[in-house]
Amino acid sequence: MEREHFSKQFDNELNQIREKLLEMGGKVESMIANAMKSLVERDTELAERTIAFDHEINTLEMMIDDRCLEVLARRQPAARDLRFITLALKIVTDLERIGDQCANICKRARELNQEPSLKPYIDLPRMAQAASNMVTEALDAFVRGDDELAIKVCQDDQCVDELNEQIQRELLTFMMADPKTISRAMKIIQVSKGLERIADHATNIAEMVIFMIKGKDIRHTIA
């Protein structure tokens, strides 16, 4: 009976960590959407609010870290449970860095909103949606223990990379044709690079999910 009670407590603690990770993931997904909205709709107030919101992501990161370390110290988990907690510690780092990228995008949006628009934003919202979908699916794969979905996330990174390259090529033609566009074009390139890095962090999470499920490190092996 005591062993069963211990097991239920341990399961509850793992579920609490899982729920906090999903909460953090949901907040990060909102930051991606708001960062892009602040740029496309030239909403500087939204950009400022999103930058300030990054503090909540940092707070959640510290809270989850503390819970994971407490469980490690008290429960001394083994095998799959140990991999789960180790993964949770790594996922929060990637989610926190996604929040940082969103804040950086908002800073560029804040600057771009003060200048005339260089071009309609068409590919950047597509890129942001693709990166956000990758974050969502990486976390879904984590919760469901779905290695096939995690592999899909890793493969989807190629689409975001291609959009990033396309945007950079297009902006290069603007800069070559008119040097006065260089400042604005470089800021848009920084936004594109930020979205590409968000997709990279989603890929990191997916790769770690595969490790949790299969016990196999597949980094740098998925084409």
Side-chain angles (χ1 to χ4, degrees):
M1 188 69 179
E2 185 177 343
R3 182 181 296 273
E4 183 180 344
H5 178 67
F6 175 88
S7 177
K8 284 183 179 179
Q9 277 189 328
F10 185 36
D11 287 343
N12 286 338
E13 289 167 357
L14 295 181
N15 283 333
Q16 286 172 7
I17 292 170
R18 187 179 288 108
E19 287 168 6
K20 280 295 173 185
L21 272 174
L22 290 177
E23 178 185 345
M24 188 176 181
K27 289 177 183 290
V28 160
E29 289 166 24
S30 294
M31 284 188 75
I32 298 171
N34 287 336
M36 193 48 45
K37 185 177 181 181
S38 74
L39 178 66
V40 172
E41 299 185 6
R42 300 176 71 84
D43 189 339
T44 300
E45 287 187 10
L46 178 59
E48 296 284 7
R49 291 199 302 272
T50 306
I51 292 167
F53 189 77
D54 190 38
H55 175 71
E56 290 196 29
I57 303 299
N58 296 337
T59 300
L60 273 170
E61 180 197 22
M62 291 186 288
M63 180 188 302
I64 295 167
D65 276 351
D66 287 345
R67 289 192 179 184
C68 287
L69 294 173
E70 182 182 346
V71 170
L72 281 172
R74 288 195 297 108
R75 303 299 190 187
Q76 298 180 347
R80 187 182 177 91
D81 290 334
L82 178 60
R83 287 205 299 270
F84 169 83
I85 294 173
T86 304
L87 174 59
L89 285 165
K90 291 182 178 180
I91 286 178
V92 291
T93 300
D94 277 294
L95 290 176
E96 188 275 333
R97 288 175 182 167
I98 291 173
D100 288 345
Q101 291 297 333
C102 292
N104 289 337
I105 290 170
C106 286
K107 290 172 185 175
R108 300 293 80 76
R110 185 173 59 187
E111 294 164 358
L112 285 162
N113 292 350
Q114 305 303 313
E115 306 178 68
S117 180
L118 180 61
K119 60 183 289 293
Y121 297 119
I122 298 170
D123 291 324
L124 281 175
R126 287 175 56 207
M127 194 176 175
Q129 188 60 59
S132 183
N133 288 345
M134 287 175 66
V135 174
T136 301
E137 290 183 345
L139 291 171
D140 284 348
F142 167 67
V143 170
R144 288 158 29 191
D146 188 338
D147 58 315
E148 290 186 5
L149 182 57
I151 290 170
K152 175 185 177 295
V153 172
C154 296
Q155 293 169 339
D156 287 348
D157 189 42
Q158 182 66 29
C159 173
V160 176
D161 289 343
E162 289 171 358
L163 281 169
N164 181 43
E165 290 170 8
Q166 177 182 320
I167 289 167
Q168 293 198 38
R169 283 196 303 270
E170 183 181 3
L171 289 168
L172 181 60
T173 63
F174 274 90
M175 291 188 284
M176 291 174 67
D178 183 1
K180 292 179 182 178
T181 66
I182 289 175
S183 174
R184 282 172 290 168
M186 288 303 298
K187 289 168 186 171
I188 297 170
I189 285 173
Q190 289 172 5
V191 170
S192 181
K193 285 183 176 179
L195 293 171
E196 190 264 340
R197 288 182 185 130
I198 288 172
D200 286 344
H201 287 302
T203 301
N204 290 345
I205 294 170
E207 289 173 344
M208 290 185 288
V209 168
I210 294 166
F211 174 71
M212 179 186 74
I213 296 166
K214 294 189 171 183
K216 179 182 178 183
D217 191 341
I218 53 90
R219 287 176 294 179
H220 315 302
T221 64
I222 293 182

